[in-house]
Amino acid sequence: MVRTFAAIDVGSFELELGIYEISDKTGIRSIDHVKHVIALGRDTYNGGKIGYHLVEEMCEVLADFVCIMKEYQVEDYRAYATSAMREAKNSQIVLDQIKVRTGLEVRVISNSEQRFISYKAIAAKDAEFQKTIQKGTAIVDVGFGSMQVSLFDRDALVSTQNLPLGVLRLREILAHEHLTKEVEQLLLTEMVDNELVTFRKMYLKDRDIKNLIAIGEPILILYSRFDEEKRKDRVSIAEVNAVYDSLSRMTMDQIEETFDVNGEYAAMMLPTASIYKRMMEMTGAENMWLPGIMMTDGIAADYAEAKKLLKFNHSFSNDIIVTSRNMAKRYKCHMPHIQAVEQAALQVFDCLKKYHGMKERERLLLQIAADLHSCGKFVTMRDATECAYNLIMSTEIIGLSHVEREIVANVVRYHVQPFRYNQVQVLAKPSVYTRLVNPENLTLTIAKLIAILRLANSMDRSHKGKLADCRLVIRGSELVITTGYTGDVTVEAMSIAEKGDFFEEIFGIRPVLKQKKRV
């Protein structure tokens, strides 16, 4: 079966439409691509709002996109907006105007979702991607609004950080000053280094980075048009330096002519080259792979995976889990206890499938909450869960939406504190940021996950893994936890009984610990 799909990216600097054919035989095939330059980010980053004249222009272009989609007889579409819309104070008004005037439902996605989607587009290039990430690899995604660096080690995503180094932001800062060419280059290098030096000290000191994977619209333009006769998808540090040196000697008119771009794009070529040059120098990467993917490619890949139209060999859920575990290690969590709680939480979740009504996504959120439930103790032992809430909300977990991160943070916060039904903080609007299985009642979802995490934590109350071999079964109105452990389990039994009240309130089932009799 072949499905025709449209991907729309409402970006910080341009609107893009990609038309794709998706099938299990041929994969994802691009059949048309249209873009329109519109600097939404300039209004947002400078004034905090998107001006009406840009809203007018955006609606006209998106209406044209709808016409193109009809011509291709598109069966389904996804329209995503990123940082410019995300940071605009009037984003709700703008989204409503788009809906009323074009019929398009545009969903604002968090930064972590945006980068995860782009990452899926790279993973769609299966053989090359798997080969590259076997050695230490950094995916460097430089956009118009910000820059994301994701580190891989032995096929697993271990860390990701967002830096305020988008080329449009840098260009806007430089535009406010009257600078000579030499001073501009010096200032640009200093601004880039200010962020990257800190990143290197915190995240690269123990990492051996061999490869850089460079994605994002600016790098795509830079290397696809610099030397079309010698176009290739892998470049060395020497070639990166050569591109930077050539750009630094060009005037704006020469850059426009060389790259066949307008003045808006031309002004961002040097900042783009500067960021990638310094990134390669700081990591010591031997080469840079340019897979040539765009945000719309990522949207198509994300859609294909969600609809099970294609199967990826790489486990994206595992990336999220590994990132969470590395976060737990960073905050000195007791990892044997973390693993015991995670295992117990998943056991309880799976045993209660007929009773909680939650799906795989909520299971993943529970797993992350189990991994991070004690991270607040790194800051203080007194108000550990409050600190944990703030740490989680301040840390980007790639692949999670803002709402999903708030769910995890609240589950961790209330797994010890008394649960307050009417005071749970879920600030983001689900209809804007995410598509949860049960977006109408997030409080109930959080309460269910809290009840499970509390019980799981009680099952390893002594931090000695006494119930590692336990088996769970529901008998009538009881969840019977049976263990063959022959030692004393009084601490676990008391804790399970204490947490059992809330568990029974949520699920109508009482957890009971039973020890097999000694022979």
Side-chain angles (χ1 to χ4, degrees), residues 22 24 43 60 67 69 76 87 114 125-126 141 187 231 246 262 288 330 337 359 397 402-403 443 459 464 468 487 492:
I22 304 173
D24 54 357
D43 274 20
E60 290 177 3
C67 292
M69 289 159 61
D76 206 352
E87 297 180 26
Q114 175 187 345
K125 297 177 179 289
D126 187 44
D141 183 358
L187 182 58
R231 184 184 298 175
S246 295
N262 60 24
M288 185 163 69
R330 190 187 318 147
H337 174 63
K359 306 294 183 182
I397 303 173
H402 188 80
V403 165
T443 301
M459 290 167 67
K464 293 182 178 178
E492 280 73 18

Short mmCIF file of all heavy atoms in Angstrom, two decimals, residues 22 24 43 60 67 69 76 87 114 125-126 141 187 231 246 262 288 330 337 359 397 402-403 443 459 464 468 487 492:
data_model
loop_
_atom_site.label_atom_id
_atom_site.label_comp_id
_atom_site.label_asym_id
_atom_site.label_seq_id
_atom_site.Cartn_x
_atom_site.Cartn_y
_atom_site.Cartn_z
N ILE A 22 4.71 7.02 0.91
CA ILE A 22 5.24 6.11 1.92
C ILE A 22 4.70 4.71 1.67
O ILE A 22 3.49 4.51 1.54
CB ILE A 22 4.82 6.56 3.34
CG1 ILE A 22 5.28 8.01 3.60
CG2 ILE A 22 5.42 5.64 4.39
CD1 ILE A 22 4.77 8.59 4.90
N ASP A 24 5.84 0.23 2.39
CA ASP A 24 6.78 -0.69 3.03
C ASP A 24 7.84 -1.19 2.06
O ASP A 24 8.92 -1.63 2.46
CB ASP A 24 6.04 -1.88 3.65
CG ASP A 24 5.13 -2.58 2.64
OD1 ASP A 24 5.04 -2.11 1.48
OD2 ASP A 24 4.53 -3.61 3.00
N ASP A 43 10.51 38.65 14.34
CA ASP A 43 9.48 39.30 15.17
C ASP A 43 9.48 38.73 16.58
O ASP A 43 9.45 39.46 17.57
CB ASP A 43 8.09 39.12 14.55
CG ASP A 43 7.79 40.19 13.51
OD1 ASP A 43 8.75 40.80 13.00
OD2 ASP A 43 6.60 40.40 13.21
N GLU A 60 -1.76 33.17 3.76
CA GLU A 60 -1.85 33.10 2.30
C GLU A 60 -0.99 31.95 1.76
O GLU A 60 -1.42 31.19 0.88
CB GLU A 60 -1.40 34.42 1.68
CG GLU A 60 -2.36 35.58 1.91
CD GLU A 60 -1.85 36.89 1.34
OE1 GLU A 60 -0.75 36.88 0.71
OE2 GLU A 60 -2.53 37.92 1.51
N CYS A 67 -3.88 23.94 -1.33
CA CYS A 67 -4.23 23.70 -2.75
C CYS A 67 -3.30 22.66 -3.37
O CYS A 67 -3.75 21.78 -4.12
CB CYS A 67 -4.16 25.01 -3.53
SG CYS A 67 -5.43 26.21 -3.08
N MET A 69 -1.69 20.34 -1.77
CA MET A 69 -2.02 19.05 -1.15
C MET A 69 -3.23 18.41 -1.84
O MET A 69 -3.27 17.20 -2.07
CB MET A 69 -2.29 19.24 0.33
CG MET A 69 -1.03 19.55 1.14
SD MET A 69 -1.35 20.35 2.75
CE MET A 69 -2.34 19.09 3.56
N ASP A 76 -3.19 12.23 4.18
CA ASP A 76 -3.02 12.67 5.56
C ASP A 76 -1.89 13.71 5.61
O ASP A 76 -1.07 13.78 4.68
CB ASP A 76 -2.67 11.49 6.48
CG ASP A 76 -3.08 11.73 7.93
OD1 ASP A 76 -3.49 12.86 8.25
OD2 ASP A 76 -2.99 10.79 8.73
N GLU A 87 7.70 30.48 21.12
CA GLU A 87 8.10 31.58 22.01
C GLU A 87 7.25 32.83 21.83
O GLU A 87 7.38 33.78 22.60
CB GLU A 87 9.58 31.91 21.79
CG GLU A 87 10.51 30.77 22.15
CD GLU A 87 11.98 31.10 21.92
OE1 GLU A 87 12.32 32.30 21.96
OE2 GLU A 87 12.77 30.17 21.70
N GLN A 114 10.98 18.41 18.41
CA GLN A 114 11.50 18.87 17.12
C GLN A 114 12.80 18.17 16.77
O GLN A 114 12.98 17.66 15.65
CB GLN A 114 11.72 20.39 17.18
CG GLN A 114 12.37 20.97 15.93
CD GLN A 114 12.74 22.43 16.10
OE1 GLN A 114 12.27 23.10 17.04
NE2 GLN A 114 13.58 22.95 15.24
N LYS A 125 17.80 6.62 7.18
CA LYS A 125 18.92 6.21 6.32
C LYS A 125 19.65 5.08 7.06
O LYS A 125 20.78 5.25 7.53
CB LYS A 125 19.83 7.40 6.05
CG LYS A 125 19.15 8.53 5.28
CD LYS A 125 20.09 9.70 5.10
CE LYS A 125 19.42 10.83 4.32
NZ LYS A 125 19.22 10.52 2.91
N ASP A 126 19.00 3.97 7.18
CA ASP A 126 19.30 2.94 8.16
C ASP A 126 20.76 2.48 8.17
O ASP A 126 21.45 2.61 9.18
CB ASP A 126 18.38 1.74 7.92
CG ASP A 126 18.50 0.69 8.99
OD1 ASP A 126 18.55 1.06 10.17
OD2 ASP A 126 18.57 -0.50 8.65
N ASP A 141 22.59 19.76 15.26
CA ASP A 141 21.43 20.29 14.52
C ASP A 141 21.37 21.80 14.75
O ASP A 141 20.87 22.27 15.77
CB ASP A 141 20.16 19.60 15.03
CG ASP A 141 18.90 20.05 14.27
OD1 ASP A 141 19.02 20.92 13.39
OD2 ASP A 141 17.82 19.52 14.58
N LEU A 187 33.84 38.66 16.94
CA LEU A 187 32.69 38.64 17.85
C LEU A 187 31.88 37.36 17.68
O LEU A 187 31.43 36.76 18.66
CB LEU A 187 31.81 39.87 17.59
CG LEU A 187 30.57 40.04 18.49
CD1 LEU A 187 30.98 40.11 19.95
CD2 LEU A 187 29.79 41.29 18.08
N ARG A 231 30.24 17.77 -5.04
CA ARG A 231 29.29 17.56 -3.95
C ARG A 231 29.44 16.15 -3.38
O ARG A 231 29.47 15.16 -4.10
CB ARG A 231 27.86 17.77 -4.43
CG ARG A 231 26.84 17.67 -3.30
CD ARG A 231 25.44 17.80 -3.85
NE ARG A 231 25.22 19.09 -4.46
CZ ARG A 231 24.10 19.43 -5.11
NH1 ARG A 231 23.12 18.55 -5.22
NH2 ARG A 231 23.98 20.62 -5.65
N SER A 246 36.86 30.71 2.88
CA SER A 246 36.32 31.31 1.65
C SER A 246 35.18 32.27 1.97
O SER A 246 35.10 33.37 1.43
CB SER A 246 35.82 30.21 0.70
OG SER A 246 36.89 29.40 0.26
N ASN A 262 19.01 34.69 -1.35
CA ASN A 262 18.74 36.12 -1.16
C ASN A 262 19.57 36.66 0.01
O ASN A 262 20.30 35.92 0.68
CB ASN A 262 17.24 36.36 -0.93
CG ASN A 262 16.71 35.64 0.29
OD1 ASN A 262 17.45 35.32 1.22
ND2 ASN A 262 15.41 35.38 0.31
N MET A 288 32.66 14.87 9.01
CA MET A 288 31.28 15.32 9.21
C MET A 288 30.41 14.71 8.11
O MET A 288 30.70 14.85 6.92
CB MET A 288 31.22 16.85 9.17
CG MET A 288 29.85 17.44 9.48
SD MET A 288 29.96 19.21 9.89
CE MET A 288 30.41 19.91 8.29
N ARG A 330 24.12 11.22 36.58
CA ARG A 330 24.70 12.56 36.75
C ARG A 330 24.35 13.12 38.13
O ARG A 330 25.15 13.83 38.75
CB ARG A 330 24.18 13.50 35.66
CG ARG A 330 24.89 14.85 35.61
CD ARG A 330 24.22 15.79 34.62
NE ARG A 330 23.84 15.11 33.38
CZ ARG A 330 22.77 15.42 32.66
NH1 ARG A 330 21.95 16.38 33.07
NH2 ARG A 330 22.50 14.77 31.57
N HIS A 337 19.20 0.55 43.19
CA HIS A 337 17.84 0.84 43.64
C HIS A 337 16.99 1.35 42.48
O HIS A 337 15.82 0.95 42.34
CB HIS A 337 17.88 1.88 44.77
CG HIS A 337 16.52 2.35 45.20
ND1 HIS A 337 15.57 1.51 45.76
CD2 HIS A 337 15.93 3.59 45.13
CE1 HIS A 337 14.47 2.21 46.03
NE2 HIS A 337 14.67 3.46 45.66
N LYS A 359 -1.58 3.08 27.99
CA LYS A 359 -0.93 2.47 26.83
C LYS A 359 0.60 2.48 26.99
O LYS A 359 1.13 2.82 28.04
CB LYS A 359 -1.34 3.21 25.56
CG LYS A 359 -2.84 3.32 25.36
CD LYS A 359 -3.48 1.96 25.11
CE LYS A 359 -4.98 2.11 24.84
NZ LYS A 359 -5.64 0.81 24.65
N ILE A 397 14.53 16.27 27.93
CA ILE A 397 14.62 14.84 27.66
C ILE A 397 14.14 14.63 26.24
O ILE A 397 12.94 14.74 25.95
CB ILE A 397 13.77 14.02 28.66
CG1 ILE A 397 14.21 14.32 30.10
CG2 ILE A 397 13.88 12.53 28.37
CD1 ILE A 397 13.33 13.70 31.16
N HIS A 402 6.55 18.76 26.09
CA HIS A 402 6.57 19.54 27.33
C HIS A 402 5.57 18.96 28.34
O HIS A 402 5.87 18.83 29.53
CB HIS A 402 6.25 21.00 27.05
CG HIS A 402 6.44 21.89 28.23
ND1 HIS A 402 7.67 22.35 28.62
CD2 HIS A 402 5.55 22.37 29.15
CE1 HIS A 402 7.54 23.09 29.72
NE2 HIS A 402 6.27 23.13 30.05
N VAL A 403 4.39 18.60 27.87
CA VAL A 403 3.37 18.03 28.76
C VAL A 403 3.85 16.71 29.35
O VAL A 403 3.67 16.45 30.55
CB VAL A 403 2.04 17.83 28.01
CG1 VAL A 403 1.11 16.92 28.80
CG2 VAL A 403 1.35 19.17 27.78
N THR A 443 -4.69 14.72 35.22
CA THR A 443 -4.58 14.50 36.67
C THR A 443 -4.78 13.04 37.02
O THR A 443 -4.05 12.47 37.84
CB THR A 443 -5.60 15.38 37.43
OG1 THR A 443 -5.37 16.74 37.13
CG2 THR A 443 -5.49 15.17 38.93
N MET A 459 8.54 -1.62 47.23
CA MET A 459 9.01 -2.99 47.02
C MET A 459 10.53 -3.11 47.11
O MET A 459 11.06 -4.21 47.15
CB MET A 459 8.50 -3.50 45.66
CG MET A 459 6.99 -3.75 45.64
SD MET A 459 6.30 -3.97 43.98
CE MET A 459 7.06 -5.52 43.49
N LYS A 464 17.88 -3.16 49.00
CA LYS A 464 18.69 -4.38 48.97
C LYS A 464 18.19 -5.41 47.96
O LYS A 464 18.67 -6.53 47.92
CB LYS A 464 18.73 -5.01 50.37
CG LYS A 464 19.47 -4.14 51.39
CD LYS A 464 19.54 -4.81 52.76
CE LYS A 464 20.32 -3.94 53.74
NZ LYS A 464 20.37 -4.55 55.11
N ALA A 468 13.47 -9.00 44.22
CA ALA A 468 13.86 -9.07 42.81
C ALA A 468 13.22 -10.26 42.09
O ALA A 468 12.96 -10.21 40.89
CB ALA A 468 15.38 -9.14 42.70
N GLY A 487 14.95 -14.08 53.80
CA GLY A 487 15.32 -13.18 54.89
C GLY A 487 14.14 -12.33 55.36
O GLY A 487 12.98 -12.59 55.00
N GLU A 492 9.80 -3.81 53.81
CA GLU A 492 9.03 -3.78 52.56
C GLU A 492 7.54 -3.99 52.85
O GLU A 492 6.69 -3.28 52.28
CB GLU A 492 9.53 -4.85 51.59
CG GLU A 492 10.80 -4.50 50.82
CD GLU A 492 12.06 -4.53 51.67
OE1 GLU A 492 12.03 -5.14 52.76
OE2 GLU A 492 13.07 -3.96 51.24
#
